[in-house]
Amino acid sequence: MPAASGTPRPPARSGERGIPEAAVARLPLYLRALGGLAEAGETTVSSEELAAASGVNSAKVRKDLSYLGSYGTRGVGYDVQQLVHLIARELGLTQDWPVLIVGIGNLGHALAGYGGFASRGFRVAGLVDADPARVGEEVGGVAVSHLDQLESIVRAEQVSIGVIATPAAAAQSVCDRLVAAGVTSVLNFAPCVLAVPPQVGVRKVDLSIELQILAFHEQRRNVAVAGVAT
Amino acid sequence: MPAASGTPRPPARSGERGIPEAAVARLPLYLRALGGLAEAGETTVSSEELAAASGVNSAKVRKDLSYLGSYGTRGVGYDVQQLVHLIARELGLTQDWPVLIVGIGNLGHALAGYGGFASRGFRVAGLVDADPARVGEEVGGVAVSHLDQLESIVRAEQVSIGVIATPAAAAQSVCDRLVAAGVTSVLNFAPCVLAVPPQVGVRKVDLSIELQILAFHEQRRNVAVAGVAT
């Protein structure tokens, strides 16, 4: 579970239902599950089905969807397309989000070619790397530019979200440059905590964290098995 | 936030303090922050400092650490090395976890070379891919084997954790093979929900989910700015 460090509380706006942060974090899970149901030709879904497909319990599903003003129809469930629209609108995915990826190593390559971004409105508007040997290489249809171009790409493409996939040692200086150029949201894949001004949002991804949680359960299972054997 | 779908509740064991699932998910964040503090030469840490470094509020930090039997010393704080040990032990990271990565595209490459695994006790014991052209290629010191070798590697290396980095269409059959060969924990990077028997734990990573949460806050900021401008 990545930390939401540095992400300021969003300001209240009139008519807003004040959806809790934890519920916001579950909306993408519902959206993905609904995409699968729509592909399978389903037009309605019960809260239990949506719960099973998204790995959330059904009471939480109903509560979360009620924040969006959606309560379903007794005996029928929720309309799949309507839910997709409500969630995408709530998350701001109905607009185009130009994204700049900094650091085009293996991870940057994987991110640049990741199909899940484009389908959610995240358009890779630029790729930059400090290594001149990488400049000009095309990844996912976008040519890699030199790190020197960071500021000009942010301005020309009106980038609001920067993705940092550099080594940890370079991450803070890249972050500072993104913020100075006008970026207000940063997704950090580098294994370090970034300092940002209060108006800038940062989310951190650590690829080993989920493995650590798996190890916890794996260890418990082993202890339980050993306990049964004695 | 990846879903913990399919992860069974661990069985209770005697003397266990019953640490909640949400607290387990925060322990890796503390561990990473403590690693940074130790590198900086710090020997003690207050709950406020640890909270700031891990992006969790300080009351939650104190509560979580109390599950490990650690309460700190008034006016001094917590001993950094002791906390590292307690958390690593609780998560099961004091033992070696052989991991098999299936699917060595860009993402599999990035995962195979990811430094954050080895330092947490996760040893890449094997890499397999369906493409014969990739077989023999060395990534992070491990040679890629053909998918046909999946079962023999799981058995020879006593792999308990499988990492799936294949396209979505291949993920369920790879998962079924891992489980049949004896793997009991699966980390899924493919954009799909996997069906597993109840004794198998699955955690799912979706690289676009964090971007969606950033977009939510970005949208709110834009609305707030527009509101001020009118």
Side-chain angles (χ1 to χ4, degrees), chain A residues 16 185 203 210 218 220, chain B residues 184-185 203 210 218 220:
Chain A
E16 196 187 307
S185 289
R203 292 190 74 90
E210 295 300 319
E218 189 69 29
R220 294 242 161 148
Chain B
T184 44
S185 288
R203 293 190 73 90
E210 296 300 319
E218 189 68 29
R220 293 242 162 148

Side-chain angles (χ1 to χ4, degrees), chain B residues 71-95:
Chain B
Y71 297 90
T73 306
R74 188 180 295 271
V76 177
Y78 299 84
D79 183 275
V80 169
Q81 288 306 332
Q82 195 197 1
L83 268 194
V84 166
H85 173 73
L86 285 173
I87 294 174
R89 193 184 59 182
E90 184 71 25
L91 288 171
L93 306 180
T94 48
Q95 66 180 95

Side-chain angles (χ1 to χ4, degrees), chain A residues 1-10 21-22 24-25 186-187 193-194 196 198 200-205 209, chain B residues 1 26 29 32 51-57 210 213-214 217 221:
Chain A
M1 193 173 68
S5 54
T7 304
R9 261 205 164 287
E21 182 73 24
V24 170
V186 174
L187 184 62
V193 174
L194 296 174
V196 292
V200 174
V202 179
R203 292 190 74 90
K204 199 166 47 187
V205 178
I209 281 181
Chain B
M1 195 173 65
R26 286 187 292 268
L29 305 180
R32 180 174 47 185
S54 53
V56 176
N57 83 56
E210 296 300 319
I213 298 168
L214 277 173
H217 292 292
R221 263 193 293 275

Side-chain angles (χ1 to χ4, degrees), chain B residues 20-21 33 35 37 41 48 60 81 83 88-89 97 150 159 170 196:
Chain B
E21 182 74 24
L37 290 164
E48 288 78 14
K60 227 167 221 170
Q81 288 306 332
L83 268 194
R89 193 184 59 182
W97 294 103
L150 184 149
V159 169
V196 292

Side-chain angles (χ1 to χ4, degrees), chain B residues 100 102 126-128 145-160 172-183:
Chain B
L100 174 66
V102 185
L127 305 172
V128 299
S145 301
H146 191 266
L147 185 59
D148 290 347
Q149 304 298 307
L150 184 149
E151 288 80 5
S152 58
I153 295 173
V154 167
R155 290 184 189 121
E157 299 284 342
Q158 301 193 287
V159 169
S160 51
Q172 184 65 56
S173 81
V174 164
C175 181
D176 292 346
R177 287 177 61 178
L178 287 168
V179 169
V183 167

